[in-house]
Each structure stands twice: as structure tokens, then as C-alpha cells.
């Protein structure tokens, strides 16, 4: 059973870079069926997909954030990471890592990490 | 981007009630539609994938239907642990998008 756990600073200053890591356990991060993803949720609001990375190295990002986002993979540590640059208060959110899984012609997000709140403030 | 809408945005119901939530996509997404449940302070949990397939471990009182642009999530008999917010999500094309959510609370 794959499990995900986010880690990283809970407070980031405006204009700096937000950096989070997701550790994958209970399964191989190199499994071909998974696209390792980041999703965020602004306080009291809905869910926004940020992007994903496949173990082939291919990535896909939400165009709304693409200019500021990098998602990378470290298979030796079973981790994938999110970097979001030039943050503002609008980037304050709970950040989730999730596995975007492909099977039988369909895709879905499962499982999810517990989420980590990142606040952008000076 | 494919826009997802949900109705109602919130509803009040009693234990044992049958509850139906609707999700609509701005263009046809075939059956690439998933449903998630989110309890306060917790991560979303997958309930239904591919519009109508029940995720393993999810109670059979949850069901999904639809294709194209119109989808429904039905809870046949609402239980106390079902009071939560429900989101639909399209996996037809990037950027993947979610509906705004439907909050189900106690009447």
C-alpha cells in the first residue's frame, strides 16, 4: 500500500521559493503506473492541480503556475519535490502530494499525503 | 481548461436520506470523472473513479453514474460519517480540474 508524506517549511517569505518534498513508502516510486503529483487547496476553497512528474522524467504543469513551478524526482530517496518561485500571499495554501494512478484506461488521484500548510508572510 | 461545476454547493440532510450530487463538465469528458470525499482537516479520499467504479474499501452506498458532460454521485442512505465535502475531478485532459465542492451537513 503506497503512502505519501509531505515535508518542508510551513512559513515562506514573499518573493522567495517554496520547497516541499514528498516521501513515498510502501511501493516503488519507479512504478510505471504512477504520475507523482502536487495539488493545493487555498484556505476554505477548492482544489487546484499544480503538476506531476513521471519516473520517465516527463512533467506536466498547470499553465496558471507553469512559469514558477519545477517538480523533480529523486528515485534513490523515494522522493519527489515541488519548487514554487516568487511566492506571494496568494500561494498560501495546504499543499498535498498525491499519486495520479493509471489503470484500465482511467486515471485518478490516490493515495494522497496528509497535506502541509504553507503560509507566505514576512 | 475544462471547467467543472457542481450542484448544489451545499445541502442539509438527515441520517438515512438518499443524497444526489451533480457534476457538469464544460465539454465532453467521456467517463474520465472521479469523485472524492474530504472531511474537515483531512486529505481528499477517492470514492469513485471512471464515473462509476467504486474504489476498493468504499461502502456500497456510494455510487456514481454519467458520461459525457453530466455526472451524479449518489449516497443511498446517508450515514453520520458521510457528512463531508464532495468534489468531482476530470482526468480527460490537463490541466486536471476539480469542481468547487458540495458540502453535506447535518439537518
Amino acid at each position: 500500500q503506497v503512502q505519501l508524506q509531505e515535508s518542508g517549511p510551513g512559513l515562506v517569505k514573499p518573493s522567495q521559493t517554496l520547497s516541499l518534498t514528498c516521501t513515498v513508502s510502501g511501493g516503488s516510486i519507479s512504478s510505471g503506473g504512477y504520475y507523482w503529483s502536487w495539488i493545493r487547496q487555498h484556505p476554505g476553497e477548492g482544489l487546484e492541480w499544480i503538476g506531476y512528474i513521471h519516473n520517465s522524467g516527463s512533467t506536466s504543469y498547470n499553465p496558471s503556475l507553469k512559469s514558477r513551478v519545477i517538480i523533480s524526482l529523486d528515485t534513490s530517496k523515494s522522493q519527489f519535490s515541488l519548487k514554487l518561485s516568487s511566492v506571494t500571499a496568494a500561494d498560501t495554501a495546504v499543499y498535498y502530494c498525491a499519486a495520479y494512478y493509471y489503470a484500465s484506461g482511467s486515471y485518478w488521484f490516490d493515495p494522497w499525503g496528509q497535506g502541509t500548510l504553507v503560509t507566505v508572510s514576512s | 481548461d475544462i471547467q467543472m461545476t457542481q450542484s448544489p454547493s451545499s445541502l442539509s440532510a438527515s441520517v438515512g436520506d438518499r443524497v444526489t450530487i451533480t457534476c457538469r463538465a464544460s465539454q465532453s469528458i467521456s467517463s474520465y470523472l472521479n469523485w472524492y470525499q474530504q472531511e474537515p482537516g483531512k486529505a481528499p479520499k477517492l470514492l469513485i473513479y471512471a464515473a462509476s467504479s467504486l474504489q476498493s474499501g468504499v461502502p456500497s452506498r456510494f455510487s456514481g453514474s454519467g458520461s459525457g458532460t453530466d455526472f451524479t454521485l449518489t449516497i443511498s442512505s446517508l450515514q453520520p460519517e458521510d457528512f463531508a465535502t464532495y468534489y468531482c475531478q476530470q482526468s480527460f485532459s490537463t490541466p486536471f480540474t476539480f469542481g468547487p465542492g458540495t458540502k453535506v451537513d447535518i439537518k
Side-chain angles (χ1 to χ4, degrees), chain B residues 15-93:
Chain B
V15 172
D17 284 352
R18 181 181 182 88
V19 168
T20 298
I21 299 169
T22 297
C23 175
R24 177 165 290 174
S26 60
Q27 66 182 74
S28 177
I29 58 171
S30 185
S31 295
Y32 293 96
L33 189 284
N34 306 312
W35 289 98
Y36 302 86
Q37 176 195 63
Q38 186 177 35
E39 298 175 54
K42 294 190 176 181
K45 169 190 169 185
L46 177 69
L47 297 176
I48 302 285
Y49 63 91
S52 61
S53 295
L54 192 68
Q55 171 67 344
S56 175
V58 174
S60 59
R61 62 181 179 273
F62 291 94
S63 63
S65 65
S67 67
T69 61
D70 295 315
F71 303 86
T72 59
L73 172 70
T74 299
I75 309 172
S76 60
S77 178
L78 198 66
Q79 298 302 301
E81 60 267 31
D82 300 338
F83 292 96
T85 300
Y86 294 84
Y87 295 94
C88 60
Q89 174 253 326
Q90 64 84 12
S91 56
F92 181 80
S93 65

Side-chain angles (χ1 to χ4, degrees), chain A residues 39 41 45-49 52 60 62-63 96 100 105-110 112-115, chain B residues 1 32 34 36 38 41-46 49-50 55 87 89-91 94-96 98 100:
Chain A
I39 295 162
Q41 185 169 34
E45 297 186 19
L47 298 156
E48 179 181 29
W49 174 71
Y52 68 55
S60 180
N62 193 320
Y96 295 100
Y100 192 59
S106 295
Y107 296 82
W108 55 84
F109 290 109
D110 183 70
W112 298 58
Q114 65 184 26
Chain B
D1 299 5
Y32 293 96
N34 306 312
Y36 302 86
Q38 186 177 35
K42 294 190 176 181
K45 169 190 169 185
L46 177 69
Y49 63 91
Q55 171 67 344
Y87 295 94
Q89 174 253 326
Q90 64 84 12
S91 56
T94 60
F96 307 123
F98 294 81

Side-chain angles (χ1 to χ4, degrees), chain A residues 19-94:
Chain A
S19 296
L20 296 174
T21 296
C22 183
T23 300
V24 179
S25 60
S28 173
I29 199 169
S30 299
S31 173
Y34 289 106
Y35 293 74
W36 305 104
S37 304
W38 289 96
I39 295 162
R40 70 181 183 179
Q41 185 169 34
H42 294 103
E45 297 186 19
L47 298 156
E48 179 181 29
W49 174 71
I50 299 171
Y52 68 55
I53 186 166
H54 187 258
N55 66 0
S56 64
S58 67
T59 56
S60 180
Y61 300 130
N62 193 320
S64 67
L65 297 167
K66 187 174 183 177
S67 64
R68 299 193 290 131
V69 172
I70 297 175
I71 297 176
S72 58
L73 191 66
D74 187 338
T75 56
S76 67
K77 295 182 179 179
S78 273
Q79 294 177 335
F80 61 103
S81 299
L82 168 70
K83 290 189 185 300
L84 180 65
S85 62
S86 304
V87 297
T88 69
D91 295 308
T92 293
V94 174

